[in-house]
Amino acid sequence: MKNTSVYLVQLSANMRDVAKQAAETAFPGATFISANTVTEAQQNVVLGRQLIVLGDVDEAVINTAVQITDGEDLPRWAVVTMGRHSTVLAESLPPYPECNTRLLGQVFRSVVLQHELLRENLGLRGDLKTVANRYSHDLRSPLNCIHITSELMKESSANKEPQLLAQIQTIQNSIIETFKIIDRFTFVLNASIEPLPFATFSMHAVVGRVLVKLEEEIQAAGVKLELPPNWPVVAGVAQWLEQIWMNFILNALQHGSPARPIKLGWNQHNEAWRFWVENQGAPVPTDFQAKLFNRFELLHTHSVSGLGLAMVQRLVALQGGQCGYEWHDTGSSVFYFTLPRKN
């Protein structure tokens, strides 16, 4: 069991007794440290989980306590204040004699557990930032070296041997695919770690930018796209929506029938906007449909190799929507996502 240290700061004698009784119930064997100020408490360094209980102090003192970090640059302690005014900075409880010792102990335990989850969450977010940055930047240098070397090998091949050229092209194709994987991973990791603020804009502009970026792919596929005459104004993150549309359209180009158009559309669905990409072609096998939109954080539990639709699932979820697949009797596959409508 973790050691628990409870700091008692600026508490009256009665409040200190109640707080100690409650903490002893919540954390048997806890160590108690009395201090006159938060600064004094901060100077007493201990290991293990920590709780600071403040008396009837003002918000500036509470703010100071909340902002204090430890050697790992994480919030040092869980903060509870037993004062006459409420605060959004920490859990606030009425002063003695209004406090119930048993309930106060439960509050102490809940606040400490919440604090531990916060520290764990911040630590994991830091891990993800490191992975995103190092994965994105550090891998590119050796891959670029391989790509440049393979290009030089292609140019210096005296006889331009077809077999050698084919092998070099395989290397270069693999590098390009690796770059794409890196870009996808880092994009979704950064979106999860530091979500961008929502804005209001027309979906028309978002789809337009995507079609410009995919112009070569659309021409190479020889497929026509059918678009609605207008698009709604939505609230979300434009960069994320571009990635969602791009994945859906590329998926339709790859798996749809080149002889039939790809349709993009939308409608109002309950309290949401519903957007879709529809293409003619063979349906997704029934036993595979449930695996199309695997949650990104659960990809390690599945054997599927695709990242695109898992990435879509995460980006849609971050905007409060849902995504899915439907097969219509007309012979078309429909991939869709929703966004909440903002009144």
Side-chain angles (χ1 to χ4, degrees):
M1 180 178 293
K2 292 182 180 179
N3 295 325
T4 304
S5 297
V6 181
Y7 293 82
L8 306 173
V9 179
Q10 293 183 233
L11 293 171
S12 66
N14 288 334
M15 290 173 64
R16 185 167 57 250
D17 291 340
V18 171
K20 289 184 68 173
Q21 292 175 28
E24 286 171 345
T25 302
F27 313 109
T31 300
F32 294 94
I33 303 167
S34 295
N36 294 318
T37 65
V38 172
T39 302
E40 182 182 330
Q42 182 183 4
Q43 294 171 353
N44 196 319
V45 179
V46 297
L47 299 177
R49 57 188 178 188
Q50 302 173 46
L51 167 68
I52 185 168
V53 183
L54 304 173
D56 194 13
V57 298
D58 59 31
E59 193 147 339
V61 175
I62 301 171
N63 187 51
T64 298
V66 170
Q67 292 184 359
I68 290 174
T69 58
D70 60 13
E72 299 178 35
D73 203 25
L74 295 172
R76 175 172 171 176
W77 42 36
V79 182
V80 173
T81 175
M82 299 174 66
R84 293 181 175 82
H85 64 277
S86 60
T87 175
V88 298
L89 299 175
E91 188 66 45
S92 182
L93 299 169
Y96 179 85
E98 301 170 52
C99 283
N100 178 292
T101 303
R102 182 178 62 83
L103 293 179
L104 181 58
Q106 293 178 358
V107 171
F108 283 174
R109 177 174 290 278
S110 296
V111 170
V112 168
L113 291 176
Q114 184 180 31
H115 176 71
E116 290 182 327
L117 289 175
L118 172 63
R119 286 175 56 88
E120 182 179 2
N121 180 271
L122 291 173
L124 290 173
R125 288 169 68 89
D127 291 344
L128 289 177
K129 285 183 180 180
T130 298
V131 170
N133 286 309
R134 300 302 294 266
Y135 186 69
S136 176
H137 296 97
D138 291 8
L139 278 180
R140 289 182 181 276
S141 294
L143 287 173
N144 278 323
C145 289
I146 296 173
H147 183 75
I148 293 172
T149 302
S150 64
E151 195 65 38
L152 292 173
M153 291 173 60
K154 183 190 296 185
E155 293 177 1
S156 62
S157 178
N159 300 321
K160 302 295 182 182
E161 302 168 6
Q163 185 176 0
L164 177 60
L165 293 177
Q167 293 172 345
I168 294 174
Q169 189 60 52
T170 298
I171 294 173
Q172 293 182 331
N173 290 342
S174 298
I175 293 171
I176 292 172
E177 188 62 29
T178 303
F179 277 134
K180 290 180 180 179
I181 294 173
I182 291 173
D183 289 339
R184 285 185 169 186
F185 262 115
T186 54
F187 188 93
V188 73
L189 286 179
N190 287 325
S192 301
I193 297 165
E194 297 179 315
L196 297 173
F198 280 26
T200 302
F201 46 83
S202 172
M203 190 65 84
H204 172 78
V206 174
V207 174
R209 288 194 294 269
V210 172
L211 295 182
V212 170
K213 293 178 181 179
L214 295 179
E215 185 175 359
E216 291 185 8
E217 289 83 352
I218 294 171
Q219 290 181 354
V223 178
K224 292 183 178 181
L225 268 64
E226 294 183 2
L227 309 178
N230 54 68
W231 293 93
V233 173
V234 301
V237 179
Q239 295 178 23
W240 298 352
L241 290 168
E242 287 183 26
Q243 290 296 320
I244 293 167
W245 281 110
M246 191 170 295
N247 275 281
F248 274 0
I249 295 172
L250 285 173
N251 185 69
L253 291 173
Q254 181 179 356
H255 299 289
S257 171
R260 305 295 297 274
I262 295 174
K263 299 179 181 180
L264 279 60
W266 65 275
N267 68 333
Q268 298 181 27
H269 182 72
N270 297 328
E271 298 299 319
W273 300 113
R274 186 175 185 271
F275 302 93
W276 72 82
V277 174
E278 177 180 353
N279 65 271
Q280 299 289 322
V284 175
T286 303
D287 58 349
F288 191 71
Q289 290 181 17
K291 304 176 183 178
L292 282 173
F293 293 96
N294 282 312
R295 288 164 52 190
F296 189 84
E297 68 271 24
L298 297 180
L299 283 182
H300 65 284
T301 66
H302 300 281
S303 59
V304 293
S305 58
L307 295 175
L309 295 182
M311 179 179 176
V312 166
Q313 187 279 331
R314 170 60 65 84
L315 296 177
V316 170
L318 286 172
Q319 297 174 93
Q322 297 179 328
C323 48
Y325 167 82
E326 295 175 348
W327 167 253
H328 292 177
D329 293 338
T330 56
S332 61
S333 288
V334 177
F335 288 81
Y336 68 87
F337 69 94
T338 65
L339 291 176
R341 292 177 58 195
K342 303 296 183 180
N343 296 326

